[in-house]
């Protein structure tokens, strides 16, 4: 490694950092998952030598069109509630199993599909009971074998040309129900992997381009929504076949070598371009930290720090000093999930403009301390590891923005996309007459991060893929067991700053029909937020679960009562125009029955703000108030902006005076560093919330007394 | 040679010091954290994130038993250069620690 890493980085003894901590088992091998790009094969080299830069550009465009078309095919054919909104992806792997071309979507899905193809090549291809043939169809959803979590389900097919394996087609996304303890998947309260339902490392479910009926029956029997499951499985196979058809046609036109070589060259080129960009940026050590609060069955503080060593044309992401893995819920992540998740930030921001494929991660080394909440052992539940893995992504986003600003790439500088997880899983018979069991898609309308020169967009997209949508309301009403009363951009739900973070969509929905529905909660950020601000901007707020039982909403609807015309969910919760039992509670809840007329309030919070609130233009604050993005109270107390009684103009004099007063208060109440640290270091959270934290304040060190975290002496 | 580092920070590579970009107040040595040159203030997060409803445990604000806001101000002009959301008493974050020689080399010719 570089001199900074060698002189300053500490990896605690007894922990594994560079791969998943769990050992090899039936159908999975962490060593394969940790492998980088496969060596260049002879046919790939011959093809690479044949391609000029122009040829490669044309081929790249062609292959991108293939996977984008496949993306549309899958989305159009699917009836899964999450896939319909775009929580999925498609891609083409090289013959060796490396993701070479990835559709716009959930990039990290495709970054995680390679392990299964590589496992099949290593262990099944020469197995006489299996082999590998044109027309084979494989299914997988096991996080042990490299998948995100069991709720994401994938199909892959080898692509042969004139008898030779030339590539793999992959397709998959958030399918949802696995027959686990929570209807709809995402069992936040699971304490063991055995409570999370169907788990398939990689299973050949078909040959000769056909799914085997007996296997399909078995899989459908394992889940609560067999119609959706079967339909989507067939949609994935159809999508892989479309990729195969297009790739074979391209090889008919160009010959196989340029296509195969081109795919490998795209990986090499992405790696080279990533290194070139890294080399431009200043070297140093950069840190960020996030805390999480909800472990599933219990609330408890956990720590997720991230240290980045940027040296020359390489980036090392070191995650150490992490809280231990938790046995009271499903918020444990895997090493491979953390690594792949980083691609979500790197592809869209840090390496923006570069081709998104596995090559971009080639100069990035990811070291995650395990066993820990981020690199968990085999037996704990890990279905909601995305929650904790995303904290590392948020840290890297903050760090990357600081490196990019200092390196002259201001246009890449933003606060992180809104992430605070809050899932409502609805299950029951929908208005189309079949069993529905899946997550709500409202989280796909989260807030975009504030940018260096403008506000973040509200209701922008999904954390894991900004192009994912929250769904069309009437379609959702017919597919889910609840009925949407309101969807509005939420008030006071983003981070304040010179430029504000994007605000989230908030939804008020009603249980519909005499049978009611089941609802399970999965989430965090009840006490803390994972949407940090940047350069003095405030974080986005927390977002606990809110349900309102025993309401009078049906009576109000029957007479078109104006009390239903509330502005925002915030307005509903503050002024309570609807009668009922308002329950503010933890985001992770057991499955409960809800009845006709009960209400659910969903909101995933907004992104953090950028810059000092006192630098926000008063006119922009006025617009925030007028558009219900903030209340007058926030305008006055936080921004120091007063608006005249008619609500149309700024009270210039009062605003100037208030802002002067806030600035004077800062200078009067702010303390010099040494004085502050002396008082601050004596404080400690209540012991009850540190149950799963590890040692305080550094989970791995018995007694840590530095003013800054992560400053460990070299042995 | 002064170079821009963040929205509110500059680095003077001749004196190897941090400066406030808004008022040019010095914020300490470049090989230390600029936070050591700031005024620091602990705040109850409910002052900024106003609670919704009356539930003490869950109210869309931060629970001060879990999280406090630490604000870092320029001692010259009072600009909030950065803030951190930390459990009470948790060590602060040394967020930017440059290889100064590399910074000097890369910024040569780009100084304002």
């Amino acid at each position: 490694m570089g001199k900074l890493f060698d002189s300053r980085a500490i990896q605690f003894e007894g922990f594994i950092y560079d791969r998943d901590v769990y050992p090899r088992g039936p159908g999975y091998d962490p060593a394969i998952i940790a492998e980088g790009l496969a060596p260049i094969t002879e046919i790939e080299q011959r093809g690479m030598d044949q391609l000029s830069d122009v040829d490669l550009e044309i081929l790249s465009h062609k292959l991108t069109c293939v996977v984008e078309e496949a993306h549309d095919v899958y989305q159009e054919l699917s009836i899964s509630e999450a896939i319909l909104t775009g929580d999925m992806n498609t891609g083409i792997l090289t013959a060796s199993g490396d993701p070479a071309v990835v559709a716009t979507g959930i990039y990290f899905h495709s970054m995680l599909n390679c392990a299964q193809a590589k496992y099949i090549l290593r262990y099944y291809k020469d197995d006489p009971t299996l082999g590998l043939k044109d027309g084979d169809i494989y299914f997988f959803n096991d996080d042990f074998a490299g998948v995100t979590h069991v709720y994401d389900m994938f199909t892959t097919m080898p692509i042969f040309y004139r008898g030779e394996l030339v590539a793999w087609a992959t397709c998959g996304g958030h399918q949802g129900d696995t027959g686990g303890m929570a209807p709809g998947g995402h069992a936040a309260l699971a304490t063991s992997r055995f409570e999370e339902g169907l788990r398939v490392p990689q299973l050949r479910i078909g040959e000769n381009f056909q799914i085997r009926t007996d296997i399909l029956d078995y899989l459908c029997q394992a889940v609560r929504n067999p119609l959706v499951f079967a339909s989507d499985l067939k949609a994935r196979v159809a999508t892989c076949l479309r990729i195969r058809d297009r790739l074979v046609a391209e090889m008919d036109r160009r010959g196989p070598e340029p296509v195969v070589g081109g795919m490998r060259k795209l990986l090499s080129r992405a790696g080279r371009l990533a290194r070139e960009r890294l080399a431009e940026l200043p070297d140093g050590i950069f840190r960020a930290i996030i805390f999480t609060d909800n472990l599933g069955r219990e609330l408890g503080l956990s720590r997720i720090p991230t240290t980045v060593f940027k040296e020359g044309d390489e980036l090392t992401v070191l995650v150490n000093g992490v809280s231990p893995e938790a046995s009271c819920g499903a918020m444990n992540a895997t090493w491979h999930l953390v690594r792949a998740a980083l691609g979500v930030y790197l592809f869209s921001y840090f390496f923006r403009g570069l081709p998104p494929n596995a090559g971009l991660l080639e100069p990035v080394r990811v070291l995650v301390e395990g066993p820990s909440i981020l690199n968990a052992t085999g037996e704990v539940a890990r279905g909601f590891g995305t929650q904790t893995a995303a904290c590392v992504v948020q840290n890297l986003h903050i760090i990357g923005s600081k490196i990019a600003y200092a390196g002259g790439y201001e246009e890449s500088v933003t606060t992180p996309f809104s992430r605070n997880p809050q899932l409502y899983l609805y299950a029951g018979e929908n208005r189309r007459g079949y069993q529905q069991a899946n997550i709500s898609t409202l989280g796909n309308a989260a807030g975009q991060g504030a940018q260096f020169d403008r506000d973040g967009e509200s209701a922008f997209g999904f954390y894991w893929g900004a192009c994912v949508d929250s769904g069309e309301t009437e379609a959702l009403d017919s597919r889910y067991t609840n009925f949407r009363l309101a969807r509005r951009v939420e008030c006071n739900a983003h981070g304040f700053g010179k430029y504000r973070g994007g605000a989230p969509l908030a939804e008020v929905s009603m249980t519909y029909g005499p049978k009611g529905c089941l609802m399970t909660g999965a989430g965090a950020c009840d006490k803390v937020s994972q949407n940090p601000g940047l350069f003095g901007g405030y974080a986005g707020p927390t977002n606990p679960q809110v349900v309102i039982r025993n309401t009078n909403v049906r009576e109000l609807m029957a007479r078109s009562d104006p009390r239903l015309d509330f502005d925002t969910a915030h307005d509903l919760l503050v002024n309570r125009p609807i009668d009922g039992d308002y329950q503010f509670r933890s985001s992770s809840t057991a499955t409960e029955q809800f009845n006709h007329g009960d209400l659910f309030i969903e909101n995933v919070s907004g992104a953090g703000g950028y810059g000092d609130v006192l630098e926000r233009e008063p006119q922009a604050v006025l617009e925030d108030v007028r558009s219900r993005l903030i209340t007058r109270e926030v305008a006055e107390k936080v921004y120091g902006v007063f608006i005249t009684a008619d609500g149309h103009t700024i009270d210039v004099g009062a605003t100037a005076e208030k802002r002067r007063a806030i600035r004077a208060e800062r200078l009067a109440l702010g303390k010099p560093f040494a004085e502050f640290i002396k008082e601050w270091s004596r404080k400690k959270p209540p012991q009850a919330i540190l149950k799963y934290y590890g040692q305080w304040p550094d989970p791995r060190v018995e007694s840590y007394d530095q003013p800054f975290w992560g400053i460990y002496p070299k042995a | 040679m002064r170079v821009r580092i963040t929205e509110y920070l500059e680095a003077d590579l001749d004196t190897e010091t941090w400066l406030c970009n808004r008022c040019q107040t010095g914020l300490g040595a470049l090989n230390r954290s600029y936070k050591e040159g700031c005024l620091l203030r602990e705040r109850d997060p409910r002052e900024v994130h106003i609670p919704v409803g009356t539930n003490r445990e869950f109210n869309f604000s931060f629970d001060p038993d879990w999280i406090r806001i630490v604000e870092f101000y320029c001692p010259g002009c009072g600009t909030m250069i950065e803030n951190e959301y930390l459990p009470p008493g948790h060590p602060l974050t040394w967020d930017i620690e440059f290889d100064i020689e590399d910074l000097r080399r890369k910024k040569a010719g780009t100084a304002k």
Side-chain angles (χ1 to χ4, degrees):
Chain A
M1 303 304 295
K3 66 176 182 182
L4 291 176
F5 186 90
D6 291 342
S7 62
R8 300 288 297 282
I10 289 286
Q11 296 178 54
F12 295 119
E13 256 182 62
F15 292 92
I16 289 173
Y17 282 83
D18 57 357
R19 66 170 178 79
D20 287 302
V21 292
Y22 54 87
R24 189 186 163 201
Y28 55 91
D29 184 350
I32 286 181
I33 297 173
E35 285 178 1
L37 299 180
I40 297 172
T41 63
E42 283 184 25
I43 183 175
E44 286 173 341
Q45 189 60 60
R46 286 199 301 276
M48 291 168 75
D49 293 342
Q50 293 172 29
L51 285 167
S52 69
D53 287 346
V54 174
D55 292 334
L56 184 65
E57 204 58 43
I58 293 170
L59 180 69
S60 170
H61 185 72
K62 178 69 184 181
L63 297 180
T64 300
C65 289
V66 171
V67 293
E68 295 293 348
E69 180 197 32
H71 184 281
D72 291 347
V73 169
Y74 185 31
Q75 198 166 7
E76 290 298 318
L77 292 179
S78 173
I79 62 169
S80 164
E81 297 80 6
I83 305 295
L84 278 168
T85 62
D87 186 353
M88 42 78 87
N89 211 342
T90 56
I92 304 173
L93 312 182
T94 65
S96 304
D98 289 314
V101 192
V102 180
T104 309
I106 312 293
Y107 287 135
F108 80 141
H109 281 168
S110 296
M111 294 298 109
L112 293 166
N113 287 351
C114 51
Q116 295 76 19
K118 291 184 175 186
Y119 191 94
I120 293 165
L121 289 169
R122 185 83 48 93
Y123 295 113
Y124 291 174
K125 178 168 166 283
D126 299 321
D127 183 321
T129 68
L130 287 166
L132 186 65
K133 299 183 295 298
D134 204 9
D136 283 352
I137 305 167
Y138 273 90
F139 169 86
F140 51 91
N141 76 325
D142 186 2
D143 56 86
F144 278 57
V147 170
T148 327
H149 49 199
V150 290
Y151 315 116
D152 287 346
M153 301 185 189
F154 298 88
T155 302
T156 191
M157 293 182 69
I159 300 174
F160 285 76
Y161 189 81
R162 294 174 188 161
E164 293 293 324
L165 178 68
V166 291
W168 297 75
T170 69
C171 170
H174 193 101
Q175 179 69 37
D177 192 78
T178 52
M181 66 183 286
H186 266 309
L189 275 57
T191 56
S192 153
R193 66 187 175 100
F194 298 107
E195 295 171 286
E196 294 178 327
L198 182 71
R199 181 180 291 276
V200 177
Q202 49 271 312
L203 176 69
R204 191 172 67 189
I205 61 169
E207 297 175 74
N208 299 317
F209 308 101
Q210 289 191 312
I211 301 170
R212 267 178 53 173
T213 304
D214 57 342
I215 295 177
L216 180 61
D217 286 347
Y218 161 71
L219 292 172
C220 288
Q221 178 63 11
V223 300
R224 293 179 176 86
N225 52 353
L227 175 73
V228 177
F229 184 94
S231 178
D232 265 51
L233 183 58
K234 292 172 184 173
R236 285 195 292 275
V237 174
T239 304
C240 287
L241 288 173
R242 178 63 66 90
I243 292 173
R244 178 185 181 279
D245 289 349
R246 297 296 191 206
L247 204 66
V248 166
E250 197 60 17
M251 290 187 183
D252 285 340
R253 205 158 69 87
R254 295 172 183 267
E257 288 184 358
V259 178
V260 167
M263 288 196 292
R264 190 60 180 79
K265 204 165 184 175
L266 288 174
L267 288 166
S268 303
R269 184 179 69 164
R272 176 174 52 79
L273 293 171
R275 285 186 181 277
E276 286 176 5
R277 180 158 301 177
L278 282 167
E280 291 178 43
L281 299 168
D283 288 0
I285 304 172
F286 305 88
R287 301 181 187 85
I289 194 164
I290 277 185
F291 299 85
T292 185
D293 57 1
N294 197 323
L295 301 166
R297 287 180 182 268
E298 292 181 50
L299 293 175
L301 192 70
S302 291
R303 178 176 112 146
I304 299 171
T306 304
T307 305
V308 166
F309 296 82
K310 156 67 190 67
E311 295 193 79
D313 60 359
E314 293 187 341
L315 202 68
T316 301
V317 180
L318 173 64
V319 184
N320 66 347
V322 188
S323 291
E325 66 183 20
S327 57
C328 62
M331 313 290 186
N332 299 292
T334 53
W335 173 87
H336 65 263
L337 176 58
V338 173
R339 178 179 182 274
L342 296 181
V344 173
Y345 165 68
L346 293 171
F347 290 6
S348 299
Y349 297 88
F350 199 77
F351 291 136
R352 60 188 286 173
L354 305 187
N357 65 37
L360 289 183
L361 294 182
E362 188 268 326
V364 181
R365 187 180 183 210
V366 181
L367 301 170
V368 184
E369 177 183 280
S372 76
I373 196 170
L374 287 165
N375 187 356
T377 56
E379 299 312 307
V380 295
R382 301 188 298 205
F384 213 178
T386 45
Q387 198 280 108
T388 35
C391 294
V392 185
V393 184
Q394 299 297 73
N395 285 337
L396 184 64
H397 198 133
I398 289 292
I399 290 169
S401 284
K402 290 176 180 176
I403 296 174
Y405 200 114
Y409 276 95
E410 289 93 340
E411 71 276 13
S412 294
V413 176
T414 72
T415 66
F417 205 96
S418 168
R419 167 54 193 165
N420 287 3
Q422 186 190 66
L423 300 175
Y424 288 53
L425 295 98
Y426 300 110
E429 186 178 306
N430 66 13
R431 286 198 280 160
R432 296 183 178 216
Y434 62 80
Q435 286 296 312
Q436 175 267 323
N438 213 331
I439 55 174
S440 158
T441 56
L442 186 82
N444 302 349
Q448 182 196 34
Q451 302 177 54
F452 84 105
D453 62 350
R454 73 192 77 169
D455 296 337
E457 293 288 339
S458 298
F460 186 70
F462 183 35
Y463 179 79
W464 298 112
C467 62
V468 180
D469 186 30
S470 60
E472 197 278 321
T473 304
E474 289 184 359
L476 296 173
D477 287 344
S478 73
R479 291 182 190 278
Y480 282 87
T481 52
N482 55 334
F483 176 84
R484 278 135 202 86
L485 292 180
R487 280 186 150 196
R488 307 267 174 84
V489 173
E490 183 60 317
C491 178
N492 286 0
H494 60 274
F496 314 125
K498 175 182 179 181
Y499 300 111
R500 59 162 178 77
L505 203 62
E507 179 178 286
V508 181
S509 68
M510 181 183 84
T511 309
Y512 184 85
K515 293 181 184 174
C517 74
L518 300 174
M519 193 281 281
T520 314
C525 300
D526 303 324
K527 302 280 192 177
V528 308
S529 168
Q530 294 162 9
N531 297 336
L534 182 66
F535 303 149
Y538 288 115
T542 67
N543 43 270
Q545 186 186 101
V546 183
V547 298
I548 313 174
R549 287 185 178 273
N550 306 317
T551 71
N552 64 339
V553 70
R554 291 164 62 197
E555 291 83 357
L556 297 178
M557 290 174 76
R559 59 174 183 260
S560 300
D561 194 294
R563 279 177 286 180
L564 288 172
D565 296 336
F566 46 86
D567 268 342
T568 57
H570 180 272
D571 180 23
L572 171 64
L573 297 179
V574 171
N575 297 312
R576 305 199 175 187
I578 297 173
D579 295 340
D581 176 15
Y582 285 66
Q583 299 178 5
F584 289 62
R585 54 193 199 167
S586 167
S587 298
S588 291
T589 56
T591 305
E592 295 172 56
Q593 170 72 34
F594 285 83
N595 301 318
H596 195 23
D598 290 342
L599 299 183
F600 307 104
I601 317 295
E602 285 188 65
N603 155 23
V604 294
S605 178
Y610 175 105
D612 188 349
V613 285
L614 295 186
E615 293 193 353
R616 185 161 182 78
E617 289 293 333
Q619 193 64 33
V621 176
L622 173 63
E623 287 307 313
D624 288 345
V625 172
R626 288 162 62 105
S627 57
R628 311 285 198 271
L629 279 173
I630 61 172
T631 56
R632 276 181 179 245
E633 187 179 15
V634 167
E636 293 170 8
K637 287 184 178 173
V638 179
Y639 285 110
V641 171
F642 284 87
I643 297 165
T644 54
D646 63 9
H648 296 307
T649 52
I650 305 290
D651 183 333
V652 177
T655 296
E657 181 52 38
K658 177 68 173 175
R659 288 189 157 187
R660 268 195 300 273
I662 291 175
R663 205 173 282 272
E665 184 182 70
R666 290 175 175 181
L667 294 172
L669 298 180
K671 295 173 182 169
F673 185 81
E675 184 184 339
F676 178 87
I677 289 294
K678 192 173 174 186
E679 293 176 20
W680 175 253
S681 59
R682 291 196 197 111
K683 300 187 177 187
K684 185 181 177 184
Q687 193 60 39
I689 69 173
L690 297 176
K691 183 176 174 185
Y692 295 96
Y693 182 90
Q695 303 277 353
W696 173 264
D698 192 299
R700 304 299 187 192
V701 179
E702 192 168 341
S703 132
Y704 187 89
D705 59 357
Q706 301 295 310
F708 295 103
W709 60 264
I711 311 300
Y712 305 118
K714 292 288 276 189
Chain B
M1 180 170 62
R2 291 184 178 182
V3 294
R4 188 77 174 265
I5 300 300
T6 77
E7 176 73 26
Y8 298 120
L9 291 172
E10 290 179 8
D12 186 324
L13 295 174
D14 297 323
T15 59
E16 296 193 359
T17 52
W18 291 105
L19 301 170
C20 169
N21 168 265
R22 295 297 189 264
C23 72
Q24 308 300 311
T25 294
L27 298 171
L30 196 53
N31 64 359
R32 309 278 298 182
S33 172
Y34 64 86
K35 291 177 180 176
E36 296 185 26
C38 291
L39 295 175
L40 285 68
R41 178 182 170 199
E42 174 191 341
R43 294 192 69 184
D44 184 329
R46 294 172 296 187
E47 295 171 13
V48 175
H49 305 280
I50 296 162
V52 176
T54 55
N55 188 303
R56 195 181 174 283
E57 291 294 315
F58 306 107
N59 51 37
F60 294 89
S61 188
F62 294 75
D63 187 327
D65 281 349
W66 293 60
I67 287 289
R68 309 281 171 85
I69 304 174
V70 179
E71 298 187 344
F72 302 89
Y73 307 134
C74 167
C77 62
T79 296
M80 181 154 53
I81 288 171
E82 192 53 279
N83 64 49
E84 291 198 57
Y85 286 62
L86 296 170
H90 188 278
L92 308 177
T93 305
W94 187 351
D95 55 343
I96 304 173
E97 189 181 351
F98 285 121
D99 176 335
I100 297 172
E101 282 312 306
D102 178 76
L103 183 67
R104 196 190 311 278
R105 193 166 53 247
K106 287 193 173 122
K107 290 292 184 181
T110 66
K112 65 180 186 178

